């Protein structure tokens, strides 16, 4: 290295020029890979240097000698002296017995040798038998070989379709659960129409009684009495609606009683219109805070349905079961 001031040749580790005494440490190039810092002055120390180039203090760490314990361990396999197996007061905590972790060849010499062996053939046979029993039992439980019809989901009970638009009761559903044809069954339409005519008369009487309660309790009763009257009227409406649906299902079937069924369906519709008006009046009564003051508004739907009541009474008295054949 040369001094940047006078050009004298200097050693690479020089910090001051020996000729002109100018500082040359700014011109040094020190690799930082593996470099350290002086613990005394904090100057950068080149890699491998033992002395700080600035404060000339030692930077090498002195390692303390590793402490060792002088243990008196017996030699493995040496059983000539049993005194070596007994620890003295100066060697407290020293392991005095060493046993191999590898089990002996003979199973009688170690209780853990039996757990380290490969499972025997009897073990695999018992495991396979148990698996066979579990799988076979599950298969039998699912398939039900003793009851072939256990998994059948078809309807087995007769279905009553009298309230679903078709008169009478069917023993099974045609085209789905059985091949039996509906035409093979005997359906007495005359008896059914006569019974429906009587049912309409009974419902008409109950509707008349409910209308009478409306004109008394509906305009002067308590809130609970008016709520009960509304509930009874709604039950009558549901029962009448089912009956109307049954009667209408017998119309237009090409039977000999089509005309009588059509007349009965017309009367049933008149009675249903009257019942709907009755329910509306009861609803006004139940929701009213002062029914006596709102009497005219409460009875308005019933008064407007008086024509339906008259038409039903005239048709009901003049209806007769006629055979077109």
């Amino acid at each position: 290295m040369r001094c940047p001031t006078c050009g004298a040749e200097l050693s690479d580790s020089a910090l001051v020029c020996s000729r002109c005494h100018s500082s040359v440490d700014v011109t040094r190039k020190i690799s930082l890979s593996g470099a350290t810092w002086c613990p005394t002055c904090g100057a950068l120390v080149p890699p491998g240097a033992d002395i700080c180039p600035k404060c000339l203090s030692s930077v090498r760490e002195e390692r303390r000698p590793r402490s060792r314990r002088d243990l008196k361990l017996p030699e493995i396999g040496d059983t000539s002296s049993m005194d070596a197996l007994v620890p003295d007061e100066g060697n407290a905590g020293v392991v005095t017995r060493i046993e191999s972790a590898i089990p002996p060849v003979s199973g009688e010499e170690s209780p853990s040798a039996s757990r380290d062996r490969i499972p025997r053939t009897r073990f695999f046979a018992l495991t396979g038998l148990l698996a066979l029993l579990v799988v076979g039992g599950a298969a039998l439980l699912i398939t039900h070989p003793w009851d072939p019809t256990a998994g059948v989901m078809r309807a087995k009970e007769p279905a009553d379709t009298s309230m679903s638009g078709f008169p009478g009761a069917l023993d099974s559903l045609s085209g789905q659960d059985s091949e039996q044809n509906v035409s093979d069954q005997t359906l007495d339409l005359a008896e059914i129409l006569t019974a429906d005519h009587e049912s309409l008369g009974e419902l008409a009487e109950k509707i008349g009684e409910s209308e009478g309660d409306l004109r008394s309790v509906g305009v002067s009763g308590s809130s609970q009495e008016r709520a009960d009257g509304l509930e009874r009227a709604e039950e009558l409406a549901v029962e009448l609606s089912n009956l109307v649906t049954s009667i209408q299902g017998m119309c237009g079937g090409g039977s000999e009683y089509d005309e009588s069924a059509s007349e009965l369906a017309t009367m049933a519709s008149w009675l249903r219109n009257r019942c709907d008006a009755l329910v509306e009046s009861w609803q006004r009564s139940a929701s009213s805070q002062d029914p006596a003051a709102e009497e005219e508004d409460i009875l308005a739907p019933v008064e407007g349905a008086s024509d339906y009541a008259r038409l039903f009474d005239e048709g009901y008295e003049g209806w007769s079961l006629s055979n077109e054949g």
Side-chain angles (χ1 to χ4, degrees):
M1 183 177 64
R2 292 184 178 275
C3 177
T5 304
C6 64
E9 292 185 0
L10 305 174
S11 62
D12 293 337
S13 60
L15 299 177
V16 180
C17 178
S18 59
R19 178 182 295 178
C20 64
H21 304 286
S22 61
S23 178
V24 296
D25 56 348
V26 295
T27 62
R28 295 188 57 191
K29 295 182 180 179
I30 301 176
S31 176
L32 296 180
S33 59
T36 57
W37 282 263
C38 176
T40 303
C41 66
L44 185 62
V45 180
D50 298 335
I51 300 176
C52 176
K54 190 165 186 177
C55 65
L56 303 180
S57 61
S58 177
V59 295
R60 178 180 295 275
E61 296 181 0
E62 297 182 359
R63 296 184 179 179
R64 296 181 180 179
R66 183 177 180 182
S67 59
R68 297 183 181 180
R69 296 180 62 185
D70 188 11
L71 303 178
K72 297 179 181 180
L73 299 178
E75 298 292 336
I76 298 177
D78 184 8
T79 59
S80 60
S81 177
M82 297 301 295
D83 296 339
L85 301 179
V86 181
D88 53 13
E89 296 181 357
N91 295 329
V94 178
V95 179
T96 59
R97 182 177 181 181
I98 300 177
E99 182 179 355
S100 176
I102 302 176
V105 178
S106 177
E108 299 178 356
E109 299 180 5
S110 175
S112 63
S114 58
R115 299 192 298 269
D116 299 332
R117 294 180 179 176
I118 299 177
R120 298 181 180 180
T121 307
R122 181 176 58 183
F123 173 78
F124 290 106
L126 292 177
T127 304
L129 180 60
L130 180 61
L132 181 61
L133 291 177
V134 172
V135 175
L140 291 177
L141 183 62
I142 295 174
T143 57
H144 294 85
W146 57 86
D147 187 7
T149 62
V152 177
M153 304 301 293
R154 297 179 300 175
K156 300 179 181 179
E157 299 296 332
D160 186 7
T161 60
S162 60
M163 304 302 290
S164 302
F166 194 91
L170 300 178
D171 294 335
S172 60
L173 299 179
S174 175
Q176 180 176 1
D177 297 339
S178 174
E179 296 180 357
Q180 183 179 4
N181 197 306
V182 178
S183 61
D184 297 337
Q185 304 178 19
T186 58
L187 302 174
D188 193 346
L189 296 180
E191 294 181 0
I192 296 175
L193 290 174
T194 302
D196 289 345
H197 178 262
E198 295 177 358
S199 298
L200 282 176
E202 296 174 358
L203 287 175
E205 293 180 1
K206 294 179 180 180
I207 292 174
E209 295 175 358
S210 179
E211 184 176 339
D213 294 339
L214 176 67
R215 298 180 182 276
S216 58
V217 178
V219 296
S220 61
S222 62
S223 58
Q224 182 61 41
E225 291 175 341
R226 287 179 281 127
D228 293 341
L230 174 60
E231 183 178 359
R232 288 192 296 270
E234 290 176 344
E235 292 176 355
L236 290 176
V238 172
E239 184 177 357
L240 178 59
S241 179
N242 292 334
L243 182 59
V244 171
T245 302
S246 174
I247 296 174
Q248 290 176 349
M250 292 182 290
C251 300
S255 66
E256 54 187 356
Y257 299 108
D258 275 351
E259 183 178 353
S260 299
S262 179
E263 294 177 359
L264 195 63
T266 301
M267 288 187 296
S269 298
W270 289 336
L271 186 60
R272 181 166 60 180
N273 292 338
R274 179 188 177 188
C275 186
D276 291 342
L278 177 64
V279 171
E280 183 179 355
S281 293
W282 273 113
Q283 289 175 347
R284 295 183 180 183
S285 174
S287 61
S288 175
Q289 300 295 331
D290 188 3
E294 301 176 2
E295 178 179 358
E296 183 177 355
D297 182 66
I298 292 175
L299 298 179
V302 173
E303 297 294 344
S306 58
D307 292 339
Y308 293 119
R310 178 180 55 81
L311 290 173
F312 175 82
D313 292 339
E314 294 176 357
Y316 186 82
E317 296 297 333
W319 183 85
S320 63
L321 186 63
S322 59
N323 190 333
E324 298 178 357

